[in-house]
Amino acid sequence: MAEIVYPPVIAAARTLFRVLDIRFHMEGTEHVPRTGGAVLVSNHISYLDFIFAGFAALPSKRLVRFMAKQDVFEHRISGPLMRGMHHIPVDRGAGAGSYATALRMLKAGEVVGVFAEATISRSFTVKEIKNGAIRMAQATNVPVIPVALWGGQRLWTKGRPKKLLQRHVPLTILVGEPMHPKRGENVNDHVTDLHTRLSELVDRAQRTYPEVPQGVWWQPAHLGGTAPTPEEAAAMDAAEAEARAKND
């Protein structure tokens, strides 16, 4: 695929983060294969996660094709960029087309990025995850690479004002060891394993973060923050889904 848009977008993001002194800490990037297909699965805490999860693959000189909501592709600014970077639009009412596109890209040796929780976690813990990433890996015989992000929620997340120009924010990116789910193996077992791996990576990212203050909104409740508990967050998500359904 011709890469006219992706490289300059990465260069612009790197320049902005350097100006803002975003303090990246990355571990495990060697787990992203330098060639061949792979499914990169990240936790989801920020509207900027596709940028930071994509950064995990840059040391291996890979570009990640993220599966993202159709709405993002219809936006007058983000739409042309998303299409130019060959990301994959997902229509939640008819997901078969996006799934087929992802399989085709994986078979062609691309890295496909998935946010298996589907929506941003308000609790900043790993929610229940979908099985699509595992099924895609099994169907194409490629590895699953878990990635934990922490810090991006301070810049822009659900229910909070944007602070995109905030300076000196630490940003942690941890890449875990690959999983190798094989065709015919139990999908649910692999989903449980992936959830465990993601949760452990996220917990390590949170506990080793340079700033672990008490009573701040961007810290999970179990570490002394004021973010909703997983149960409270689930109730908020359910209420939001119900309201959306009434408006459709």
Side-chain angles (χ1 to χ4, degrees), residues 5-6 9 50 72-73 75-87:
V5 177
Y6 218 145
V9 168
F50 73 97
V72 182
F73 290 80
H75 190 274
R76 64 185 181 85
I77 296 176
S78 63
L81 292 174
M82 296 295 281
R83 289 189 291 274
M85 291 185 281
H86 306 294
H87 294 313

Side-chain angles (χ1 to χ4, degrees), residues 117-155:
E117 298 165 274
T119 57
I120 287 175
S121 171
R122 301 175 196 258
S123 68
F124 304 133
T125 60
V126 181
K127 302 194 295 183
E128 179 181 343
I129 63 176
K130 312 298 183 183
N131 64 16
I134 296 297
R135 291 192 295 112
M136 288 191 297
Q138 288 179 318
T140 55
N141 194 32
V142 302
V144 174
I145 315 295
V147 176
L149 306 175
W150 191 244
Q153 76 278 16
R154 298 175 65 179
L155 300 174

Side-chain angles (χ1 to χ4, degrees), residues 46-111:
S46 163
Y47 291 115
L48 303 177
D49 287 342
F50 73 97
I51 298 175
F52 300 132
F55 273 27
L58 293 183
S60 294
K61 302 187 185 306
R62 305 303 302 274
L63 299 176
V64 183
R65 317 300 176 177
F66 283 97
M67 303 184 76
K69 291 190 300 183
Q70 179 70 41
D71 296 355
V72 182
F73 290 80
E74 295 172 353
H75 190 274
R76 64 185 181 85
I77 296 176
S78 63
L81 292 174
M82 296 295 281
R83 289 189 291 274
M85 291 185 281
H86 306 294
H87 294 313
I88 305 168
V90 177
D91 182 345
R92 289 179 180 167
S98 57
Y99 183 81
T101 300
L103 291 183
R104 186 171 65 252
M105 287 190 169
L106 289 168
K107 290 175 182 177
E110 297 284 348
V111 179

Side-chain angles (χ1 to χ4, degrees), residues 223-238:
L223 292 180
T226 62
T229 65
E231 295 75 20
E232 291 168 340
M236 294 167 71
D237 288 345

Side-chain angles (χ1 to χ4, degrees), residues 3-38:
E3 300 298 347
I4 299 172
V5 177
Y6 218 145
V9 168
I10 292 171
R14 280 177 154 166
T15 298
L16 177 61
F17 295 145
R18 187 162 53 248
V19 170
L20 295 176
D21 190 31
I22 302 298
R23 299 172 179 178
F24 286 94
H25 173 75
M26 300 172 64
E27 293 182 21
T29 56
E30 70 277 4
H31 294 312
V32 179
R34 290 184 173 271
T35 59

